[in-house]
């Protein structure tokens, strides 16, 4: 029962470096999401993908890009990391509802520090 | 703008002392109200979904209820293992879900 798997679990980068966070789900879900969680700010949506081949911006997309590689995988890329991107990043997935939202299932996060 | 407000921010209870957590949400276009539990160093874990006013869901010592503008998570006779952050979230269009900032619950033995 893997569910949502995120890699890596921890990462330290220097300002200006780039990296890609990986996410894969094995629940055959159509929708996938990337969030960041900061103290006092709660979970904020960065990007989401309602289906394979589509992506849309969330609340805080600046400085990030995403790729929905296939139905299972959804990656998040930081092209030029900045200290303000130090955060815990969560990937989630959900099935599509008919007129209602379905619950999201989360990975255990990637803890990213930008020096 | 869709909003979710949770109160209190933090709550300390003695083991066995029942209480309730509150979640106020923007009513327009609600497509589901969700409760999650988050342990330190882990991702949120889904607990309940509520779709219409008057609906209730239960799991062990937890019961979630929904009115037209609020949801409550009732905790009956809590144990130390119930200590966690509890997140409320509302569903909206395009499958987007807006989260509240959470209530940190600490149960003292």
């Amino acid at each position: 029962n893997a569910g949502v798997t995120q890699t890596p679990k921890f990462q330290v980068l220097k300002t200006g470096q780039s990296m890609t966070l990986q996410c894969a789900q094995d629940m055959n879900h159509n929708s996938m999401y990337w969030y960041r969680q900061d103290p006092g700010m709660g979970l904020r949506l960065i990007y989401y993908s309602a289906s394979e081949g589509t992506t849309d911006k969330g609340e805080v997309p600046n400085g990030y890009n995403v790729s929905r590689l296939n139905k299972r995988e959804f990656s998040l890329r930081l092209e030029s990391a900045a200290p303000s991107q130090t955060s815990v990043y969560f990937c989630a997935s959900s099935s599509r509802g008919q007129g209602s939202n379905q619950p999201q299932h989360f990975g255990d996060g990637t803890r990213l520090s930008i020096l | 703008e869709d909003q979710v407000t949770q109160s209190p921010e933090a709550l300390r209870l003695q083991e066995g002392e029942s209480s309730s957590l509150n979640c106020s949400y923007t009513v327009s276009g609600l497509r589901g109200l969700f409760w999650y539990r988050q342990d330190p160093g882990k991702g949120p874990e889904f607990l309940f979904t509520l779709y219409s006013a008057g609906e209730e869901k239960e799991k062990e010592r937890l019961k979630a209820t929904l009115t037209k503008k609020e949801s409550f998570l009732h905790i009956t006779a809590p144990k130390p293992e119930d200590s966690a952050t509890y997140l409320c979230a509302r569903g909206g269009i395009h499958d987007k879900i807006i989260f509240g900032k959470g209530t940190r619950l600490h149960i003292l033995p």
Side-chain angles (χ1 to χ4, degrees):
Chain A
N1 287 350
V4 178
T5 302
Q6 293 184 237
T7 56
K9 294 188 185 304
F10 303 92
Q11 185 71 48
V12 178
L13 294 177
K14 294 181 179 178
T15 298
Q17 288 185 316
S18 62
M19 82 160 295
T20 300
L21 309 186
Q22 306 286 354
C23 174
Q25 52 93 7
D26 62 3
M27 295 173 283
N28 201 36
H29 286 162
N30 288 304
S31 301
M32 296 187 73
Y33 310 80
W34 277 105
Y35 292 89
R36 60 178 289 172
Q37 189 174 41
D38 303 291
M41 298 296 293
L43 280 161
R44 292 182 291 169
L45 183 64
I46 305 171
Y47 272 94
Y48 69 103
S49 171
S51 62
E52 186 178 350
T54 68
T55 61
D56 286 287
K57 295 178 181 179
E59 181 184 357
V60 288
N62 291 343
Y64 306 95
N65 286 301
V66 291
S67 295
R68 183 74 182 267
L69 304 171
N70 48 55
K71 190 172 186 179
R72 290 188 62 248
E73 298 173 288
F74 188 38
S75 63
L76 178 72
R77 183 162 178 83
L78 287 69
E79 289 291 351
S80 179
S84 61
Q85 294 177 305
T86 293
S87 188
V88 182
Y89 291 85
F90 288 101
C91 177
S93 70
S94 70
S95 56
R96 295 295 299 279
Q98 296 297 323
S100 62
N101 292 121
Q102 298 302 306
Q104 295 180 353
H105 299 269
F106 286 80
D108 279 338
T110 294
R111 283 141 189 85
L112 182 62
S113 292
I114 316 296
L115 304 178
Chain B
E1 179 181 315
D2 293 339
Q3 289 199 355
V4 176
T5 303
Q6 292 189 246
S7 61
E9 290 185 11
L11 183 62
R12 293 166 68 90
L13 300 172
Q14 291 294 135
E15 183 173 0
E17 181 184 0
S18 301
S19 188
S20 297
L21 312 183
N22 177 265
C23 173
S24 300
Y25 60 90
T26 309
V27 175
S28 176
L30 181 72
R31 294 160 64 99
L33 191 292
F34 304 89
W35 283 97
Y36 291 82
R37 168 188 173 131
Q38 186 174 22
D39 293 298
K42 297 289 188 179
E45 175 188 352
F46 169 68
L47 292 173
F48 305 110
T49 306
L50 303 165
Y51 288 108
S52 55
E55 191 174 357
E56 298 183 353
K57 296 272 180 75
E58 281 189 74
K59 180 180 179 180
E60 295 181 1
R61 294 176 292 281
L62 300 176
K63 183 169 78 172
T65 61
L66 185 66
T67 71
K68 287 188 177 180
K69 57 180 182 179
E70 290 178 306
S71 180
F72 295 92
L73 185 65
H74 306 279
I75 303 173
T76 302
K79 298 181 178 182
E81 54 261 42
D82 294 322
S83 297
T85 296
Y86 290 86
L87 302 173
C88 172
R90 78 175 297 282
I93 60 173
H94 305 308
D95 290 330
K96 286 164 61 172
I97 294 180
I98 306 297
F99 283 83
K101 295 180 181 180
T103 293
R104 297 186 309 278
L105 178 65
H106 186 51
I107 309 299
L108 302 167

